Amino acid sequence: MISVNIDGKEVQVPEDSSILKAAEKAGIWIPTMCYSELFEPYGVCRLCSVEVIRGRRSRVVTACNYPVREGLTVLTNSEKIQWIRKMIMEMMLSRWPNVGVVKDMATRLGVTKPRFESLEKDEDPNACILCGMCVNACKELVKAEVLGFAYRGIKREVVLPFDKKSAECIVCGACAHVCPTGHVKMIIEDYRGKKPEFTLGAKTAIYVPSMQAVPRVPVIDTESCIHFKTDGCETCSKVCEPQAINYKMEDEIIEFEVGQILVATGFDIFDATPMAQYGYGRYDNVYSSLEFEYLLNSTGPTGGKILLKNGKEPRAVGIIHCIGSRDTNHHPYCSRVCCMYALKFAHLIHDRTRAAIYQFYIDMRAFGKGYEEFYSRLLNEGITMIRGKAAEVVEASKSKEDEGKLLIRCEDTLIGKFREIPVDMVILCNAIEPRKDSDTVKKLFSMSKSPDGFFLERHPKLDPTSTMTDGILIAGCAQGPKDIPDTVAQASSAAARILSLIAKGEVEIDPICATVQEEFCSGCKICNNLCPYSAIEFLIDKNISHVNEVLCKGCGTCVAACPSGAMTGSGFTDKQIYAELEGLLEI
Amino acid sequence: MSEFNPRIVGFLCNWCSYTGADLAGTSRLKSSPSIRIIRTMCSGRVDPTFVVKAFELGADGVLIAGCHFGDCHYQEGNYKTMRRVVLLKRLLYDLGIEPERVRLEWISASEGEKFTRVSNEFTEQIRNLGPINLEYLQNRISHSLNEPVEVI
Amino acid sequence: MSKPKLALYWAASCGGCEIAVLDIEEKILDVADFFDIVFWPVALDFKYKDVEAMPDKNIDLCLFNGSIRTSENEHLAHLLRKKSKVLVAFGSCAHEGCIPGLANLYKKEDILNFVYKESPSTINEAGIFPQTKFKVNGNEIDLPEFYESVKPLDEVVPVEYYIPGCPPQPPQILAVISLIIEGKPLPPPGSIVGAGEKTCCDECTRTREEKKIKKFYRPFEIVSKPDQCLLDQGILCMGPATRSGCGALCVSANMPCRGCYGAPPNSLDQGTKMISALSSVIDSQDPEEVERIINNIADLVGTLYRFSLPSSILKQKKILRSGQNASN
């Protein structure tokens, strides 16, 4: 630590600190225009000029990049400095009279009108003030080194290489982010990035997945993070005091040996984009149920306020049931939970706004404990229930004021009339559907799927948590649409089954198993590579094959393949099947 | 003349097709009663010998059904079945029996409707082919001896 | 005490089995010494009427080779059955039908037509075909009738034992005969004697790997490695589906096993069992490619059932009744 005297104040700062840092510590403001903590001081705006006194000599230096020395005396507000600052500001103001940051700084430094005219006067409020922030961000932070200066003197300007679109640019947007005047803009011509989970708000590359995430720590989206593209940036690491950010961490596959697996892979929600009549993805204020749930959440983008995309509160909200469910074109089944969450939405909208609420339903299915009561309560809250599936959602704005207004068209089957309801916001009750990767999961665990695409249970009534594969259990929406109490019940039952087997300590394996009758096996090796479980080993000393009973799953392929008939087994023997054939074909 | 009611043996794999047939049943779908089902753990258990034995015993057609490729409970038993059926059909053709009397289908546990369709279609197909007519096999049995023998 | 009586007869056969009996070499003298040979049309001059004149069960051991092709074959089978204590289906023809059995792939009329009329070397302008009755010098004589299909011996009469092989191997014949000569207990009736319980692979000395077949070769299409399993090399060897007993003769001569010893004890049908085995080791998961691979096999049915067609499950090519169209 060394001590420095700034404007008569003594401060202790580490060696190699800049005067600017020392002044900050001393609580003295030094104006800057091109300085950012994120990268090395550039010293181009000269606005941070200060007077440095050493013995009897005095010098003017730039505070941002001049390192302190022991016993240094700094004057930041001397007459000389004030004169320099004003001159700089007058020159800047004469060249860029309308740029916000320049005007603000000029006002602050007491410059109102420049005394002279600039030859390169630029009246654009977003003009480039040549601060070099963008160039430095690109070079030092992002390490892409795409942006640079061209030409000299008053002709100087920021350019891309050869003034062309550059393949080196990773479209990170750091330059636009640091630009103080808004001169650098992002123009996204071809957005190939992945679709964000919810389109309700932009996310940074480092983010906490959700407020309920366990553990609640931020994750880095390596596809978007600049560091993973150029090795640069590391801004998050610079600001993280506990130094918790580790860019070297990688996804790793950890193998566990387990005896039973509970498959509770959940569901996907039906994408309503193909149902063009409801305008999902076309109109700003048509939400999927999950998006609206996110909007309702106090940690969501609006902090739980129900707002339209333009920030206003909706005056009328339409909730359309059975989007993709109970629909022969999509899913014939009922998704079970939608009626109830639609009622919950209505209740919360009623609670938080003064909007009129319309529910468009086919049938109300309030099947669970307390659900019917909730439905009755909602009816008393003044919600309009319209029995009939909405036909379409169309744009209804006729003037600029009611831009974004929507119109829901439907047939009210209770009164037998066609109705058009104007609303501000539409919430779609998307169907619950099997996960996109359910086929892969199915194969992985040798499960089956029922016609609706959900995993098939062993028996629909008597064994709804087991599958055909021993040791593989299913629970929740992976097995079929269900609400939280049902899921909890099924998952608990599955867990109990797992525990009961663990407590027992042993498993019963299927008695169906192949065996080799050694006296008939000649070791032709037809069977050995047929077995997908490698249960057939070859005994070299005896020159015969042998079945490992523990590995054998009893499919019988080897029994069928054995040309000598030496392979047989318990269950489904040739003899049994011939007897079955004889019995079946007797009459 | 009464309509010819074929006798068809169906070898169904335990995991997909048998469950599929079960689903057809629980869904109250009307499947052809001509199909007489034998359950095997895997379609790969079906030995071509079973098929010719069924013909010998008077079956007019044989249906073999297993899981779709990639879905086999035993990973790839169904590929072996596929290869066996290709070769078996060739042999049946050489022996003068219409290869169409053997049908291989992939019916998953969820395809109860497909089981119904296949069984109805196949029954119709066999009805058009007519009875198998292997009467020449009648009375062609090997004589066997059971009494003990003394030569000298 | 008189010597036990031995009879040998050939029905539809090539005569190789008779040669095989002589191939036991000097031991034939022991046989001639031990037995009183009462009937052996190939070697000794006996007439059918001599046999007919015998009391029932007069012959102690009858080695019957050849399959049942004509009414004469059948008549003799019944006759010898009646006169013999022990009737042995000797050789592949009597056991399973053998090469003559491949005639079951054709109809009787087609065979007669070809042999007596259509074959390139036949001139039969008068259109003379075999008859069952013929008049000569005012007397009518009966001639054997050519049957529709070939049958193995046990389809006509019950037999005590089977000795497989085309022909049965002399050491095996000797072993069976010595059993009788030495008065040892005989196996239960219906047994296959003179053969093993395993398959040809058991006797084969070639090294076998786990099989994956991409292409089938006929023996002349490939220079096979002498010490490696022929099936591994893509040559269709019937060894895995054939009963042991021959000492893997063909394979040691670099030719694939043709299957003359018939199906092993637990196999119902040599051909379909072989199909099951072969298709299991074809290395392809694409139905079209499988089709291409099996198209490499020349004469599938003749390869799989070269010796066993009449005793296989389906026994013959399907006979079409008049009015029906052939499927091919």
Side-chain angles (χ1 to χ4, degrees), chain B residues 45-50 52-53 55-56 69 76 79-80 82-88 90-99 101 129 131-137 139-152, chain C residues 60 81 85-86 105 149-151 154-161 180 186 189 268-269 272-273 275-276 278-280 282 284-285 287 290-291 294-295 297 300-301 304-305 309-310 313-319 321 324 327-328:
Chain B
R45 176 66 185 95
V46 182
D47 184 334
T49 318
F50 297 167
V52 292
K53 188 75 188 168
F55 286 140
E56 186 206 10
F69 285 145
E76 46 185 37
Y79 284 104
K80 286 152 199 152
M82 176 271 287
R83 299 199 288 255
R84 281 179 194 144
V85 170
V86 171
L87 213 55
L88 174 67
R90 186 58 209 280
L91 177 75
L92 290 176
Y93 178 85
D94 287 351
L95 289 174
I97 291 172
E98 300 87 341
R101 291 191 186 271
L129 281 172
I132 189 157
N133 286 328
L134 299 179
E135 319 80 351
Y136 56 85
L137 290 179
N139 308 319
R140 295 235 350 222
I141 36 156
S142 304
H143 297 274
S144 54
L145 277 172
N146 289 314
E147 320 92 64
V149 186
E150 260 180 53
V151 176
I152 305 146
Chain C
D60 292 285
R81 172 71 272 178
K85 281 187 188 140
V86 173
L105 292 171
S149 59
V150 175
K151 294 171 186 172
D154 68 355
E155 255 188 55
V156 178
V157 291
V159 297
E160 272 81 9
Y161 299 113
I180 298 167
L186 291 175
L268 211 58
D269 190 297
T272 50
K273 259 298 178 193
I275 280 189
S276 196
L278 278 183
S279 43
S280 303
I282 290 175
S284 167
Q285 301 201 324
V290 172
E291 195 102 36
I294 67 156
N295 280 340
I297 306 174
L300 184 69
V301 67
L304 298 170
Y305 290 114
L309 186 61
I313 293 174
L314 291 175
K315 302 204 189 310
Q316 62 182 66
K317 185 161 179 163
K318 184 174 162 185
I319 299 170
R321 289 177 305 180
Q324 274 184 303
S327 64
N328 44 348

Side-chain angles (χ1 to χ4, degrees), chain C residues 39-97:
Chain C
F39 185 56
W40 192 0
V42 165
L44 303 163
D45 188 17
F46 289 106
K47 303 293 182 213
Y48 291 172
K49 66 178 188 317
D50 298 331
V51 181
E52 282 159 11
M54 290 177 192
D56 286 357
K57 306 271 178 201
N58 182 47
I59 303 167
D60 292 285
L61 179 65
C62 176
L63 302 179
F64 191 107
N65 73 75
S67 51
I68 308 303
R69 169 83 271 184
T70 64
S71 56
E72 183 194 12
N73 301 152
E74 187 172 8
H75 171 69
L76 260 289
H78 284 295
L79 182 65
L80 287 168
R81 172 71 272 178
K82 206 167 133 199
K83 304 295 176 190
S84 306
K85 281 187 188 140
V86 173
L87 180 64
V88 177
F90 185 80
S92 180
C93 290
H95 173 216
E96 296 196 301

Side-chain angles (χ1 to χ4, degrees), chain C residues 157-203:
Chain C
V157 291
V159 297
E160 272 81 9
Y161 299 113
Y162 306 84
I163 299 180
C166 182
Q169 288 310 298
Q172 295 282 17
I173 301 171
L174 190 62
V176 173
I177 292 180
S178 327
L179 210 64
I180 298 167
I181 292 178
E182 289 161 21
K184 289 194 178 147
L186 291 175
S191 301
I192 290 175
V193 292
E197 296 271 82
K198 293 201 174 192
T199 69
C200 191
C201 295
D202 189 47
E203 296 170 330

Side-chain angles (χ1 to χ4, degrees), chain A residues 517-526 528-530 543-544 559-566 574 578, chain C residues 197-202 208-212 231 240-241 264-268 273-274 276-277 280-281:
Chain A
Q517 304 177 65
E518 295 193 358
E519 65 273 32
F520 297 117
C521 176
S522 306
C524 65
K525 286 196 176 172
I526 293 270
N528 298 78
N529 67 350
L530 294 186
N543 196 33
I544 54 168
V559 184
C562 180
S564 67
D574 283 3
Y578 292 138
Chain C
E197 296 271 82
K198 293 201 174 192
T199 69
C200 191
C201 295
D202 189 47
R208 287 179 287 267
E209 299 299 324
E210 287 176 2
K211 295 167 176 49
K212 275 187 187 306
L231 201 51
N266 292 318
S267 158
L268 211 58
K273 259 298 178 193
M274 194 62 197
S276 196
S280 303
V281 294

Side-chain angles (χ1 to χ4, degrees), chain A residues 63-180:
Chain A
C64 64
N65 58 4
Y66 194 87
V68 292
R69 296 277 182 275
E70 181 66 51
L72 199 69
T73 305
V74 181
L75 297 176
T76 69
N77 215 8
S78 63
E79 251 176 63
K80 193 176 181 181
I81 293 302
Q82 281 186 21
W83 181 85
I84 289 171
R85 284 180 186 167
K86 279 188 178 164
M87 180 54 85
I88 292 168
M89 275 330 291
E90 271 183 288
M91 287 197 281
M92 286 178 86
L93 198 59
S94 67
R95 186 165 177 184
W96 303 295
N98 295 323
V99 172
V101 281
V102 176
K103 285 201 293 190
D104 292 350
M105 186 61 82
T107 314
R108 194 161 179 187
L109 295 177
V111 177
T112 48
K113 201 174 179 295
R115 287 167 290 170
F116 28 76
E117 282 284 305
S118 170
L119 286 174
E120 291 285 322
K121 187 171 178 179
D122 187 346
E123 293 187 44
D124 183 357
N126 293 329
C128 173
I129 59 168
L130 300 171
C131 64
M133 301 264 258
C134 53
V135 176
N136 281 330
C138 193
K139 184 176 156 193
E140 286 180 30
L141 205 58
V142 181
K143 298 210 166 79
E145 299 187 48
V146 177
L147 286 172
F149 283 111
Y151 315 117
R152 292 176 182 207
I154 55 171
K155 295 280 181 200
R156 197 170 209 222
E157 60 175 298
V158 174
V159 289
L160 287 163
F162 309 106
D163 241 352
K164 284 180 184 156
K165 260 195 276 181
S166 170
E168 299 300 312
C169 173
I170 56 165
V171 205
C172 65
C175 47
H177 186 72
V178 296
C179 179

